[in-house]
Amino acid sequence: MKLTVLGATGSIGVSTLDVVARHPDRFEVVALTGHSRVDVLAAQCLQFRPAFAVVGAASDAQRLELLLKNAGSRTEVLHGAAALSQVASLPEVDAVMAAIVGAAGLPPTLAAARAGKRVLLANKEALVMAGAVFMAEVKHAGAVLLPIDSEHNAVFQSMPYAYAGDMARGGVRRILLTASGGPFRTASHQVLTQVTPEQAVAHPNWVMGRKISVDSATMMNKGLEVIEAHWLFNAPADRIQVVIHPQSVIHSLVDYEDGSVLAQLGNPDMRTPIAHALAWPQRIDSGVAPLDLFAVAQLNFERPDLARFPCLDLAYRALRAEGNAAAVLNAANEVAVAAFLERRLSFLGIAELIAATLDAVPQAALPDLAAVLEADRQGRTMATEILARLGARSA
Ligand code: NAD
Ligand code: MG
C-alpha cells in the first residue's frame, strides 16, 4: 500500500511511521509533510525515502533540500498549501494519513477524499468544520474513511459489520464516547482559575500535540469528538453520550437495542487505531504491548461535569444549531487555545471566548467548501476581536 502522511512530524505522524517501519513489505511511503520541524522531516525522508516532502515556507524548503542533497537523497521538496493537496491526491497513492492539526488540514484531507483515497482521519477539526461537505465528497468519490481518533476507531470496530450509517437498521441505540477527563478531572473551580499552559499540556494517559492536549484539558476535545461521531456514524446528538473513564482502557462503546454493549479495549497508545486503519480489514502488529487486565484492575465511570467543563456543552449546542455553528466553534477554539498557550487568555477564558464568538457570529448554512472557509474566517475574526476587547478590559 502506497502512503502519503500529512503531518508526519507530529505525534500521530511519528506513531504512523513507527507502525509503517514494522511492515516494510506492506507499506511504501510516497510523500511526507511537516510544517516547520525540518530536521525531523529530513531524518524521516532519509529513513522512508519518499518521492516527495512538503514543508510550509520557501525558506524551510531550501533548508530541507540542502540537508537531503548532502545526504544523497532523491526526495523532491515542495512547499505551501497547494503542495499538501497535490501529494494527498497523487494517482499512485492508495491511502492518506490526515494528521495535520486544525483547520489547515481541511483542504488536503478533502483533496484525498475527492481523489477516492483510503482516508485515515486523525484531523478531527476537518470533519467538525466541514462535516456535511466532507461526507458528501467521500460518498461521491467512493473514498474509504477510517477513523484514527481512538474513540471513533473503537466505535467503528464495535459497530455492526458493514455499518452504512443507519443506526436503526443496525439495531444501535447509542454511541458511548469515553473521555479520560484530562488533567483537571477532579480539580475545583478555584484550581481551574489558575491553570498554566504547562499544567494543561501534561495529560495523565496520552502523549499528544499541544493543541489537542489543551483541548483534552478543557474537554473541548470530547466536544469536537461528539461532532466527529455525528458525521462519521450519522448519529443524532442525543444518541451520543460522553462517559468519563479515567483509565483510558475502554476506548468507546456501542449500545445495542437488545441490551448488548460492545466495546474496544487496549492500552492507550495511538499505534493501535493507526495499525487497525492501515491494515483494515486485516490485523497487523502495532508494537503496542498486550493489555494486562490484572495491572489495570479497575475500570471506573463518571458523569461529565458541564459546569466545570462548559466546552463540552458548547460543542453539543453547536452540533444542535447545525449550519455554520460547528465551524465557528472550531475556529474560536483554535484562536482561544493559541492565546492560552501564549498566556494572553486564562484557562477558563477559553470557554468564555468560544461562547461569546458563537453568540456574535450570525447563523448561516454551509452548502459548500467556500461557505465552510467563510465560517472559519468569520469565527477567527470575531474571536480575535473579542479577545482584543477582553485584553483591553483586563489591562
Ligand atoms: P502535532 O501538533 O503533534 O502535529 C501536527 C502536525 O501538523 C505536524 O506534523 C505539523 O508540522 C503539522 N502542521 C501544523 N500546522 C500546519 C499547517 N498550518 N500546515 C501544514 N501542516 C501543519 O498534533 P497531533 O497530536 O499529532 O494531532 C494531529 C491531529 O490528530 C489533530 O487534529 C488531533 O486532534 C488529532 N488526534 C491526535 C491524537 C494524538 O494522540 N496525538 C489523538 C486523536 C486525534
Ligand atoms: Mg480521541
Side-chain angles (χ1 to χ4, degrees), residues 24-48:
D25 49 324
R26 227 179 220 275
F27 303 114
E28 186 183 323
V29 177
V30 177
L32 294 175
T33 87
H35 200 50
S36 51
R37 295 172 70 199
V38 173
D39 298 332
V40 175
L41 188 59
Q44 291 177 336
C45 287
L46 296 179
Q47 185 181 353
F48 294 95

Side-chain angles (χ1 to χ4, degrees), residues 124 149-152 212 221-222 225 228 270:
K124 66 190 83 186
D149 215 343
S150 57
E151 296 77 4
H152 305 75
I212 184 176
N221 182 51
K222 210 50 53 181
E225 290 183 357
E228 185 184 11
M270 290 306 292

